[in-house]
Amino acid sequence: MDLIGGYLLVVLVLFTVNIALLVGNFQLNNVKAIMLSLIAAVISFALIFVPQLFNHSDFLLNNLSYLFLICAVIIFAIMLFYIKSEDIKRTICFMIILGVIATLCLSSQSSIMLFDSLIYSLLVFIFLFFVYQITKLLVHAKREYPVIIGEYMSLFSIVMFIFAFTYNSTLNLNYKMFKPILILTPTYQLIYLLIGICVVMVIGVFLNDTKGGN
């Protein structure tokens, strides 16, 4: 996996989870949830694979930090809009538009293969479906569900800020000089750990609220 492919994977998963949390405001049966996840996976495959058929842009590659920074600011603005208005449909539309643009920009600079594109699309399907199932539990937590979504979007924005401020340094690292297990693993690997920690925290909050309710 190339570096940009790693960024693409993390950004795609983060957007997918965010949309799944927002969709959690609607009551969908399993069939509709599977269909929605399948449609998202097909669209994701097209967004990832098609741009790679065209030439890469050195200008965009060297300035992806600005893309991450813009995404961070827009996600934060969308979070504020959602908290103030709780307009679910518009918030979902804003996140989808931003996700499509970010995916197109990153995939156009990536060198991932057809098989990787299929794997990424499969992950979109899995994350969208299973996170939506988890939302059925989260809506019963003591903490208000919109607050949980707002907190996730805030963390999402922070991750984009981290990408923006570390991209140039990460891009210029010579990983042949280091052993990954010792130092300076790529930023996207650290984000995998962060995602895992967030999942554990969310589950922990739910279990704690459940025990407290009993």
Side-chain angles (χ1 to χ4, degrees):
M1 183 191 301
D2 64 295
L3 177 63
I4 307 303
Y7 279 118
L8 173 61
L9 175 59
V10 176
V11 169
L12 196 62
V13 168
L14 290 174
F15 271 109
T16 300
V17 172
N18 201 160
I19 292 173
L21 290 173
L22 290 167
V23 174
N25 287 278
F26 304 98
Q27 294 183 350
L28 303 178
N29 57 39
N30 288 336
V31 175
K32 290 182 178 179
I34 290 175
M35 290 302 299
L36 178 63
S37 302
L38 183 60
I39 292 172
V42 172
I43 294 175
S44 298
F45 176 79
L47 293 174
I48 296 169
F49 182 70
V50 173
Q52 296 180 55
L53 301 178
F54 302 93
N55 294 330
H56 293 187
S57 168
D58 291 336
F59 175 80
L60 181 57
L61 180 64
N62 295 326
N63 292 279
L64 279 180
S65 56
Y66 294 106
L67 172 67
F68 293 133
L69 183 60
I70 292 171
C71 284
V73 173
I74 294 178
I75 291 169
F76 188 77
I78 294 175
M79 180 194 69
L80 294 179
F81 169 79
Y82 171 72
I83 292 175
K84 287 186 176 181
S85 67
E86 294 191 15
D87 189 333
I88 307 297
K89 293 183 178 180
R90 288 188 179 181
T91 303
I92 292 176
C93 288
F94 292 152
M95 291 304 299
I96 289 176
I97 292 172
L98 181 60
V100 167
I101 294 174
T103 301
L104 284 173
C105 290
L106 288 171
S107 59
S108 67
Q109 305 308 304
S110 175
S111 300
I112 63 175
M113 307 300 289
L114 175 62
F115 178 74
D116 296 317
S117 301
L118 291 171
I119 295 297
Y120 283 25
S121 303
L122 178 61
L123 287 174
V124 168
F125 176 88
I126 293 172
F127 273 89
L128 185 57
F129 180 76
F130 282 100
V131 172
Y132 175 75
Q133 299 303 319
I134 293 175
T135 62
K136 296 178 180 179
L137 301 176
L138 293 177
V139 293
H140 298 295
K142 287 185 178 180
R143 183 172 299 185
E144 294 183 3
Y145 189 63
V147 174
I148 295 176
I149 296 177
E151 289 176 345
Y152 175 85
M153 294 178 73
S154 178
L155 288 174
F156 190 0
S157 179
I158 291 173
V159 170
M160 290 295 100
F161 271 116
I162 293 174
F163 278 174
F165 292 116
T166 61
Y167 171 73
N168 289 328
S169 298
T170 306
L171 183 65
N172 294 321
L173 283 177
N174 182 0
Y175 293 105
K176 294 181 179 179
M177 297 173 58
F178 310 112
K179 291 183 179 180
I181 195 171
L182 298 178
I183 58 175
L184 295 176
T185 55
T187 304
Y188 61 84
Q189 291 186 358
L190 299 179
I191 299 306
Y192 296 155
L193 177 61
L194 237 135
I195 293 174
I197 293 173
C198 290
V199 170
V200 172
M201 290 178 64
V202 169
I203 295 175
V205 169
F206 171 73
L207 294 176
N208 183 62
D209 288 342
T210 302
K211 291 181 180 179
N214 294 334

